Amino acid sequence: MRRRTLIVDDHPVMALATKMVLEQIEHIEVVAIAASGKACLELNELYKPDLIMLDYNLPDQFGSVVAKQIKKNSPGTHIIIFTGIDVTDIYNQLITIGVSGILSKDSNERAIQNMIRCILDDCTMIPLALYRGMQLTTSLPTQDTLLTKDEIHIMTLLVRGATQEQIAHEIFVSKRSVDNYLKKIYNKLSVKSRIQAIEKFVQSNYYVEADKS
C-alpha cells in the first residue's frame, strides 16, 4: 500500500534532498512539498497524507503549532519533526502533541529511512544519549500562568526574534533589567530556556491576544 507523504521545509534544496531519500523507501510516495505552516495545513487537507516530514523552524510559525493543528484534525497522521536546531528541551511537549518521531537534519540517509520504516511499523526511534536521560511528563499545563503586561510584551518581542539588547531598547530599560524580567518569566512558566519559554507562550491565550493587537 502506498503511503502518501508530505514534506514541509522552506529550504528548497533540503526539501528536494529529503524527497530523494524518502522515495528510495518502498511504498513511500511524496505527494507534495510545502514551504510554510499555512501551506502545510492546506496540503494536508488536500492530500490527507499518511506521513508528514515537518521542519520545526518554519517562516510563519513553529512546527509544533502546525503539528498540533494537524493532530487535532487528522489524529492518525504520522508526523516527524525533521529539524536543523536542537529541540531537546521540548521533546516532552512534542510527544504530548502526538508526533511520531523527532529527527535531526544531520542524520544520514540510513537513519532517516530507518525512522520512516519504524514509524510505518508503529514504532519510533530516538538517539541513545537522549533515551538514557529522558523523563516523560503525562500532560501539558491546563491553565495559563499569570503574566504582567510588560512580561507579555517582552515575550511577544522574543517570539518575533528580538535579542535582549533590542528588547531593552524597545521598552526603555537596561539589558540587566531584561535579564531580570526573563528570569521571572521563566520561573512563572516553569521553564529553563528561551526555546521552552517561547513554546509555552505561543500556546497560551496571551500569545493569541498579543497577536491580535
Side-chain angles (χ1 to χ4, degrees):
M1 181 177 70
R2 306 297 291 177
R3 302 298 184 100
R4 297 180 304 280
T5 302
L6 172 63
I7 296 172
V8 187
D9 199 310
D10 62 318
H11 295 90
V13 174
M14 176 58 71
L16 289 175
T18 303
K19 181 175 184 289
M20 291 176 63
V21 172
L22 297 190
E23 288 182 335
Q24 295 176 35
I25 305 172
E26 189 178 7
H27 303 310
I28 289 292
E29 176 188 5
V30 177
V31 294
I33 295 176
S36 67
K38 181 176 183 293
C40 171
L41 294 174
E42 291 173 352
L43 290 171
N44 179 61
E45 288 299 311
L46 178 63
Y47 289 104
K48 304 294 184 185
D50 304 293
L51 174 70
I52 299 177
M53 295 288 287
L54 177 62
D55 189 9
Y56 175 81
N57 201 18
L58 296 169
D60 57 344
Q61 53 192 309
F62 290 113
S64 55
V65 177
V66 179
K68 189 173 183 179
Q69 185 63 43
I70 291 170
K71 294 300 290 186
K72 178 181 178 182
N73 297 332
S74 310
T77 301
H78 286 297
I79 299 173
I80 297 176
I81 298 294
F82 190 45
T83 179
I85 65 173
D86 184 5
V87 294
T88 303
D89 288 341
I90 57 169
Y91 254 70
N92 287 345
Q93 183 170 322
L94 293 171
I95 291 170
T96 304
I97 288 172
V99 304
S100 298
I102 303 164
L103 194 62
S104 169
K105 288 185 179 179
D106 291 332
S107 303
N108 58 36
E109 289 186 17
R110 185 173 64 178
I112 296 170
Q113 292 169 352
N114 284 343
M115 170 69 90
I116 301 295
R117 293 187 179 101
C118 281
I119 287 174
L120 295 183
D121 287 334
D122 290 324
C123 297
T124 193
M125 184 178 79
I126 59 175
L128 280 175
L130 180 65
Y131 169 74
R132 288 170 179 151
M134 74 190 319
Q135 294 179 338
L136 303 182
T137 57
T138 56
S139 63
L140 289 171
T142 55
Q143 297 181 340
D144 286 336
T145 306
L146 183 62
L147 297 180
T148 67
K149 184 176 181 180
D150 286 340
E151 290 167 345
I152 294 170
H153 187 196
I154 288 171
M155 283 305 304
T156 301
L157 292 172
L158 206 63
V159 168
R160 292 172 181 169
T163 64
Q164 289 182 219
E165 289 81 3
Q166 290 170 331
I167 293 172
H169 179 75
E170 173 75 17
I171 65 176
F172 305 105
V173 299
S174 67
K175 183 176 179 295
R176 178 180 289 273
S177 294
V178 174
D179 289 337
N180 291 333
Y181 267 118
L182 289 176
K183 288 177 182 177
K184 290 179 182 178
I185 293 170
Y186 290 1
N187 185 55
K188 285 185 177 183
L189 297 177
S190 299
V191 299
K192 296 181 180 179
S193 70
R194 178 190 182 104
I195 192 171
Q196 285 180 320
I198 290 173
E199 276 288 337
K200 209 161 189 179
F201 181 73
V202 298
Q203 295 194 48
S204 72
N205 290 330
Y206 293 123
Y207 180 66
V208 175
E209 295 302 319
D211 192 51
K212 287 179 181 178
S213 61

